[in-house]
Amino acid sequence: MPDGAHACGCDMQDGLLAPDIALRILLEDAAPVAREAEVPAEAARGRVLSRAVVAPGDLPPFDQSAMDGYGFAAADCAQAAAPRLGRRIAAGDAPGAEVPAGQAVRLLTGAAIPDGIAAVLMEEHAALRAGAVFARRPPRPGQNIRRRAEDVAAGAAVLQPGLRLGARHVALLAALGMGRVHVRDRVRVALLSNGSELDAGRGLRDSNRPMLAALLAGQPAEVEDVGLLPDDPDRIAAALARAAAGADLILSTGGVSGSDADHLPAALAAAGGEVEVLKLAQKPGKPLAHGRLGGARCLFLPGNPVAALVGMLTLGVPLLHRLAGMPPQPPRLLPSVLAEGFARQPGRVEYLPVRIVGETEEGLPMVERTGPAGSARLLPLAAADGLLRIPAMLGTVAAGGRFGMLPLEGLA
């Protein structure tokens, strides 16, 4: 991966690489981890399927009543008759013998529909008099009956590989009687920070590593904390080599901006890895390095915390998802309207911390900036509901303009 090998004039703006091209570069040779496991379905939330789930049976497994009511035969539906009330069938009861015309059955929600019943009249539309069921509204054939296999037919592939399982998927697996599923192992992430200046005794503390560890806790990853490394090329190279022995992804912040105290790219090369330094048309988060060491992918993010977070959300999370076996997607942006306009220097895509202050007539969130822009300012970031994405070539950002917002709730 020689520096600049992927860049062409159409991808560059003032010598900077467009963020979408950088994402394509990061993903182009990334492959999902090959390891997989078989886990109990009820414990599979957050795991990524490695094999398709095929339904072993129908769902529902039999015709059943969709509500509490009365089952009518087809002839009684057509004649608007008042059939005599026969037996009662609750959920879990056997349906029993076929029901003849002229007789109705009491059915509770989820009860099996016996042969001969063509419709279920909801109880609010029925009146009982002298042992007969009178319909206030005539039942229609098929009404209020859940048909066998109307949701899922046996043999259907209901969940596909690459899907990250949520509670709704666990519900489907349970309903189908799927006790175990095949999933990919979580991505093994070696997480480190770099910078001799990050010394609590000097009043500077490492906020990036805790921030990224918290973000990764909600991802299909297991994290090894490599720690804070000083600006020592040999120690960095040795730490990278040790991390690569067991990691799928080495993730770091700091040490990539290009000063004489920034050693991560050179240390990766010294450890025997491949490295490429990228300069992105993105603010914050212009400097970036990526590469490979043994079987581990490497992603080195900027050292300032807002820049590190923006780089992780826009580039690191899609890379992690590719390694986890998920379809990598750029961040989903929520359409939002800016309450107050401002001027900016065009040329780079910019992400600004914003809070939601209201709602437009269209139901879109109205947002405002949480404070002065700055890649090291944590208070505006902590007060933000999202990161507003400003297109690269826009200089005047008008009040009332519609922009995409990257929501932070559930992510960071």
Side-chain angles (χ1 to χ4, degrees):
M1 299 180 189
D3 190 5
H6 300 276
C8 69
C10 59
D11 301 333
M12 307 293 284
Q13 174 67 35
D14 295 331
L16 302 178
L17 191 66
D20 59 331
I21 303 301
L23 178 59
R24 189 187 309 167
I25 291 170
L26 261 63
L27 298 178
E28 65 182 1
D29 63 345
V33 297
R35 305 179 307 275
E36 67 173 10
E38 190 178 11
V39 300
E42 64 269 19
R45 181 181 179 274
R47 304 300 294 267
V48 179
L49 281 178
S50 59
R51 305 184 192 182
V53 172
V54 177
D58 296 328
L59 192 64
F62 48 80
D63 290 354
Q64 59 182 225
S65 178
M67 59 186 59
D68 295 344
Y70 300 91
F72 276 57
D76 297 327
C77 293
Q79 298 172 11
R84 304 293 298 175
L85 180 59
R87 64 184 184 271
R88 173 182 179 276
I89 307 173
D93 292 347
E98 182 175 352
V99 179
Q103 184 181 117
V105 291
R106 171 66 167 158
L107 293 167
L108 300 184
T109 302
I113 302 291
D115 291 342
I117 293 300
V120 176
L121 178 70
M122 63 188 302
E123 60 184 354
E124 293 88 342
H125 297 162
L128 297 180
R129 293 196 297 270
V133 183
F134 291 84
R136 295 193 178 100
R137 298 181 185 178
R140 303 184 308 276
Q143 185 178 28
N144 300 323
I145 294 178
R146 297 179 184 137
R147 294 298 184 188
R148 176 176 180 170
E150 72 174 21
D151 190 6
V152 177
V158 292
L159 301 175
Q160 297 297 329
L163 174 69
R164 191 178 184 201
L165 296 170
R168 62 196 185 280
H169 306 118
V170 172
L172 177 60
L173 294 170
L176 289 170
M178 302 289 295
R180 302 181 71 82
V181 290
H182 291 272
V183 297
R184 291 194 186 275
D185 273 0
R186 294 183 177 94
V187 179
R188 298 171 182 166
V189 180
L191 178 62
L192 61 97
S193 293
N194 172 226
S196 296
E197 75 279 7
L198 299 175
D199 182 346
R202 301 175 186 173
L204 294 176
R205 296 176 176 86
D206 179 13
S207 60
N208 288 348
R209 212 165 76 257
M211 174 180 68
L212 294 181
L215 188 154
L216 289 167
Q219 296 294 332
E222 57 184 42
V223 178
E224 177 194 1
D225 187 353
V226 176
L228 172 63
L229 301 181
D231 296 321
D232 182 323
D234 293 336
R235 290 183 61 181
I236 295 172
L240 292 175
R242 287 192 300 270
D248 303 305
L249 174 64
I250 300 174
L251 181 64
S252 179
T253 60
V256 293
S257 64
S259 77
D260 57 6
D262 293 324
H263 304 296
L264 265 170
L268 178 56
E274 301 173 355
V275 62
E276 181 177 27
V277 177
L278 304 175
K279 300 294 184 181
L280 274 58
Q282 180 166 287
K283 181 181 179 180
K286 180 175 72 172
L288 176 82
H290 76 108
R292 184 186 299 276
L293 180 56
R297 291 299 303 262
C298 302
L299 179 61
F300 301 153
L301 299 169
N304 283 320
V306 183
L309 179 63
V310 169
M312 186 63 193
L313 293 176
T314 59
L315 300 170
V317 169
L319 174 60
L320 177 70
H321 286 178
R322 169 64 66 84
L323 296 176
M326 299 168 60
Q329 302 289 341
R332 293 183 179 180
L333 301 179
L334 178 67
S336 305
V337 176
L338 187 63
E340 296 182 1
F342 58 92
R344 65 183 287 271
Q345 181 68 38
R348 287 194 278 168
V349 174
E350 186 168 5
Y351 288 87
L352 294 171
V354 293
R355 66 167 64 92
I356 298 174
V357 294
E359 191 175 271
T360 69
E361 292 182 356
E362 301 170 276
L364 298 178
M366 181 77 72
V367 301
E368 68 177 12
R369 290 180 292 171
T370 55
S375 62
R377 292 179 178 267
L378 281 169
L379 188 59
L381 182 62
D385 296 309
L387 297 170
L388 199 68
R389 183 184 186 277
I390 308 299
M393 302 314 297
L394 196 62
T396 300
V397 184
R402 185 179 296 191
F403 302 93
M405 180 183 69
L406 174 56
L408 293 178
E409 182 65 33
L411 286 176

